[in-house]
Amino acid sequence: RTCIPASTAMMMNFIARRDLNLGQMAILRYAQPRDALNDATQRGSDPLGWSRAATYYSRYTGRPTTYRWEAYSTASAALRRAARQIAVTKKPVGLLAGHGRHAMVMTGFVATANPAHASTWTLSSIWVSDPYGYSRRSYAATSTPLNTYLETDASDWYDRQWYGKYIVIVPQG
């Protein structure tokens, strides 16, 4: 229920480089009416609510940022986009794991070249902070917790955009 708010707070703390003391329930209350889930039955939030909450709460970091959800047909494409945006913006990226039932934060990566400046590069590994487990853990790029989104509790349009895709919440810029 609170992995999206916890991940949002972590992302904002990483950007600000300090603890902003953001309340998880306040973040959840912000995200839920702005997501695509049925407000009468939902417990958590979804990629739309997460991206809107991350955008809103970034104003407290001193570095306001627009975050957007993006859906990819392969994990490799999603992770390459995430790595590129971390390299360009120096800000963390949200990852959906547990087939859409868990949120984590990608904070770094190892690649053969800097994705912000190179057109060809290979992603070797990523660094993830998990609000439920490891504070910081490395994963090989081929075996990350990012997996396909299989939730079908949003509006039909969003379910079609997300279902079976790899979802990342990326800073724009």
Side-chain angles (χ1 to χ4, degrees):
R1 176 175 181 175
T2 60
C3 59
I4 283 178
S7 292
T8 301
M10 290 166 54
M11 292 163 77
M12 299 310 112
N13 290 342
F14 290 136
I15 294 170
R17 299 182 191 272
R18 63 184 178 88
D19 184 358
L20 296 172
N21 199 29
L22 299 172
Q24 291 180 28
M25 293 311 292
I27 295 170
L28 184 61
R29 283 191 298 274
Y30 182 88
Q32 285 180 328
R34 292 162 180 84
D35 64 23
L37 301 177
N38 179 339
D39 289 335
T41 59
Q42 73 177 342
R43 290 181 301 277
S45 193
D46 65 14
L48 178 62
W50 189 3
S51 63
R52 289 178 172 175
T55 298
Y56 177 81
Y57 281 93
S58 75
R59 69 188 187 153
Y60 297 108
T61 68
R63 297 174 60 201
T65 304
T66 299
Y67 273 86
R68 297 237 193 297
W69 63 266
E70 296 179 4
Y72 293 89
S73 57
T74 67
S76 175
L79 292 170
R80 285 179 61 83
R81 172 67 171 159
R84 184 178 188 293
Q85 289 311 99
I86 289 173
V88 168
T89 67
K90 309 288 190 247
K91 296 175 182 177
V93 170
L95 302 179
L96 271 294
H99 297 293
R101 292 184 308 271
H102 187 52
M104 304 169 95
V105 181
M106 182 172 158
T107 57
F109 61 90
V110 175
T112 57
N114 184 340
H117 305 294
S119 57
T120 12
W121 51 278
T122 302
L123 186 62
S124 304
S125 62
I126 67 168
W127 285 96
V128 172
S129 291
D130 183 346
Y132 287 158
Y134 298 98
S135 58
R136 187 159 157 86
R137 180 175 175 194
S138 177
Y139 291 92
T142 56
S143 61
T144 71
L146 177 69
N147 56 21
T148 54
Y149 193 88
L150 299 180
E151 294 291 299
T152 56
D153 51 1
S155 68
D156 289 343
W157 188 87
Y158 284 103
D159 282 345
R160 285 192 306 276
Q161 303 306 306
W162 297 334
Y163 192 83
K165 303 277 179 54
Y166 297 86
I167 311 296
V168 289
I169 311 302
V170 294
Q172 303 299 294

